[in-house]
Amino acid sequence: MHPTGPTLPLLRPPETLLDTPGTRLSHGGVLDTPAGLLTVLALEHRPVPPQGGAVSPWLVYLTMPGRPYGTLALPRLLDDQEYGVQLVICQFGQVAERRGLVLVMHHAFLPRSVGLFLDAAVTPSPAADLLAEPALLEPSRDGGAGERAGGAPEGVRVWHSGVLRVGGLLYTRLEATADRPGLLVGPAWDPSPRRPADSPPPLEVRTEPPGGHRHFARSWGEEHSAVDAVLLAERAPLRLDWTCHPLGMSNTRALGAG
């Protein structure tokens, strides 16, 4: 087993932003990752609102009061109709100035737009819980391809977003972030079904005992490779493994019952 690596800055812990009859909106923490600011919104409602086709119905952005523009996220959606949860993965990239920023969320399904000042006082969420903090992965003891002499991969940082529990579900993101284009090309980084049958996907999220997986979503480019995983929260105690096969990196976290 490989322990969790160095933690990543958590700018805000999970909070519940809107709680009305039948609808609850929480965020799973605002994280400062190698890819920039990241947050995951959790909309709890039955039934889960439709995605709205190829264009996301969510508008999520960072701005300052009175500013005519903002930093827009491009949300990715993971729906679970059975559990009544829609997860909205929002990446903003690198944001240099954060003082006075407000996070704004809008969806036609919400009774109103929701805003959160990033430097406001924190109100812990009764509904969303971060069971494991976001962390960088470290090389496995036996090393791996792509590893430089000091034990760290050259130009690539691999990290996970922690483990968010909301309702009966767990969410985590595992990403390899490159400092420049071209570092994550080649067959070893290909997450598609075109890879050889005996080749594992570049990034894996596994559980022990196995099973309990609800949804996976993968993305890949010259500067990133990522997998978003939704798991059942009811299978506890549970061990979660994050693995980056091309770089021989792995972390493990044991989650207790409850």
Side-chain angles (χ1 to χ4, degrees):
M1 292 175 57
H2 304 283
T4 298
T7 57
L8 297 177
L10 180 64
L11 303 183
R12 296 185 73 85
E15 296 168 280
T16 295
L17 305 172
L18 181 68
D19 199 348
T20 63
T23 303
R24 180 163 55 196
L25 177 67
S26 305
H27 74 78
V30 180
L31 318 180
D32 191 1
T33 77
L37 296 188
L38 166 76
T39 192
V40 178
L41 306 179
L43 177 65
E44 298 174 80
H45 187 83
R46 293 180 184 272
V48 170
Q51 290 193 13
V55 178
S56 171
W58 285 89
L59 179 62
V60 186
Y61 59 95
L62 291 169
T63 189
M64 289 185 178
R67 178 187 288 179
Y69 59 89
T71 301
L72 186 68
L74 297 176
R76 300 188 64 198
L77 306 182
L78 290 175
D79 290 341
D80 196 300
Q81 297 285 341
E82 180 180 347
Y83 280 80
V85 177
Q86 183 174 83
L87 296 170
V88 187
I89 301 128
C90 303
Q91 288 187 288
F92 299 96
Q94 303 296 335
V95 180
E97 178 56 49
R98 301 169 188 173
R99 293 179 59 87
L101 279 179
V102 59
L103 175 66
V104 180
M105 293 140 282
H106 176 76
H107 187 289
F109 194 80
L110 298 174
R112 57 180 173 82
S113 293
V114 180
L116 171 69
F117 281 91
L118 295 191
D119 51 8
V122 172
T123 302
S125 173
D129 187 16
L130 205 57
L131 302 183
E133 292 186 352
L136 292 166
L137 267 66
E138 297 180 312
S140 302
R141 294 173 184 173
D142 55 356
E147 202 176 305
R148 66 184 180 198
E154 182 69 49
V156 178
R157 289 163 290 173
V158 186
W159 53 274
H160 68 76
S161 64
V163 182
L164 173 67
R165 178 173 59 192
V166 57
L169 300 175
L170 301 176
Y171 165 81
T172 189
R173 178 180 181 87
L174 176 61
E175 177 169 328
T177 302
D179 290 340
R180 58 188 183 277
L183 295 180
L184 300 179
V185 299
W189 290 103
D190 186 354
S192 74
R194 296 189 303 269
R195 68 181 184 274
D198 59 349
S199 174
L203 301 174
E204 275 195 297
V205 177
R206 293 175 294 188
T207 62
E208 183 62 41
H213 294 84
R214 296 288 292 177
H215 309 281
F216 279 112
R218 300 184 184 276
S219 60
W220 181 39
E222 289 191 341
E223 297 180 65
H224 91 287
S225 181
V227 57
D228 296 287
V230 180
L231 315 163
L232 287 177
E234 301 159 354
R235 300 169 62 86
L238 186 72
R239 193 188 78 202
L240 200 63
D241 297 323
W242 298 272
T243 304
C244 174
H245 292 287
L247 298 178
M249 306 177 82
S250 180
N251 280 154
T252 293
R253 181 62 183 261
L255 307 177

